[in-house]
Amino acid sequence: MTASSTTGSSAPGWRGLVEDWAADQQAFQVPWGKAMMWIFLLSDTFVFSCFLTGYMAVRNSTTVPWPNPSEVFSLQIAGQPVPLLLIAIMTFVLISSSGTMAMAVNCAYRRQRGAAAALMLATALLGATFVGMQAFEWTKLIHEGVRPWANPMGAAQFGACFFMITGFHGLHVSAGVIYLAVVARRVQQGRYEHGPGGPNYQIVEIAGLYWHFVDLVWVFIFALFYLW
């Protein structure tokens, strides 16, 4: 590796920026992979913002009563409805996964490969659990007659908003589970021990950025869709 590949172009202004991009170097003064992840997360933020803004607009404009989340998302326990029980467990599981992911990043930078891989797999397992519970929630609502185009409990737009927003978020969690599993396997195999500049575990931090973003988005979905 040449010196310029780690320090970037010496040319000033736009010329240097273009040279850095063309040579796959540090145009943003941060590692290329991390910069691309931030750009991806920024674009995803716009998408989720549009979804949630559209949802709020639809909910405020509909003339048909919106279903009560405490009733729609309740579970029957001993014959009694318990409001939002499943959603509370799902939220706890996903927030807990952020904790295991943060510990995985810490272990990775300490070069504790086994602990980092185990914590990443634990994070992936919690994510898979979340997706499983979300599938159960979808199945329950579909069984009760909720569809993207119809809703026997109130405004028809409820089904479309629910399946679109939670489905899009669920796809992100599912992709994250696969992503974490792949990175964890490579960490365990020592794939990042012998980089051009020595051991480099930034990929674990980049995976962590994605996972924390997915968790943060869920907090907004939880607040706007289940508590409002």
Side-chain angles (χ1 to χ4, degrees):
M1 176 179 286
T2 63
S4 61
S5 65
T6 57
T7 60
S9 169
S10 59
W14 285 101
R15 180 182 175 186
L17 180 64
V18 172
E19 289 181 356
D20 282 351
W21 280 32
D24 191 20
Q25 297 174 2
Q26 296 183 4
F28 300 105
Q29 302 303 315
V30 296
W32 190 251
K34 189 182 293 185
M36 290 298 99
M37 178 56 75
W38 276 115
I39 292 174
F40 170 75
L41 296 181
L42 181 62
S43 65
D44 236 18
T45 299
F46 285 126
V47 174
F48 275 108
S49 298
C50 290
F51 280 177
L52 292 175
T53 303
Y55 156 71
M56 288 188 287
V58 167
R59 181 163 176 174
N60 283 323
S61 60
T62 182
T63 56
V64 180
W66 199 261
N68 185 346
S70 297
E71 298 175 357
V72 175
F73 301 108
S74 65
L75 286 182
Q76 293 289 333
I77 304 296
Q80 298 296 323
V82 180
L84 300 176
L85 175 61
L86 179 63
I87 310 304
I89 297 173
M90 290 169 62
T91 303
F92 176 77
V93 168
L94 203 58
I95 297 302
S96 298
S97 71
S98 264
T100 55
M101 188 67 233
M103 289 189 289
V105 174
N106 183 273
C107 289
Y109 277 117
R110 293 173 182 270
R111 298 179 62 182
Q112 299 172 347
R113 290 193 291 117
L119 286 166
M120 292 186 74
L121 289 176
T123 304
L125 180 61
L126 289 170
T129 303
F130 174 88
V131 174
M133 289 189 287
Q134 192 173 56
F136 173 82
E137 181 190 34
W138 273 44
T139 303
K140 174 178 175 292
L141 290 181
I142 292 173
H143 182 72
E144 293 172 352
V146 179
R147 301 288 188 276
W149 55 86
N151 171 32
M153 294 175 280
Q157 297 92 333
F158 171 83
C161 293
F162 171 77
F163 288 119
M164 179 181 67
I165 294 174
T166 61
F168 193 60
H169 179 265
L171 284 176
H172 278 69
V173 177
S174 300
V177 168
I178 298 172
Y179 182 29
L180 291 180
V182 171
V183 174
R185 178 177 174 80
R186 291 184 174 185
V187 169
Q188 181 63 39
Q189 293 174 336
R191 292 277 294 272
Y192 306 110
E193 280 287 324
H194 309 292
N200 187 343
Y201 286 94
Q202 286 183 347
I203 186 66
V204 180
E205 183 182 357
I206 293 171
L209 287 174
Y210 176 84
W211 195 256
H212 294 316
F213 170 79
V214 169
D215 288 2
L216 179 62
V217 169
W218 177 254
V219 171
F220 284 96
I221 294 175
F222 176 75
L224 293 175
F225 209 96
Y226 296 97
L227 298 183
W228 181 21

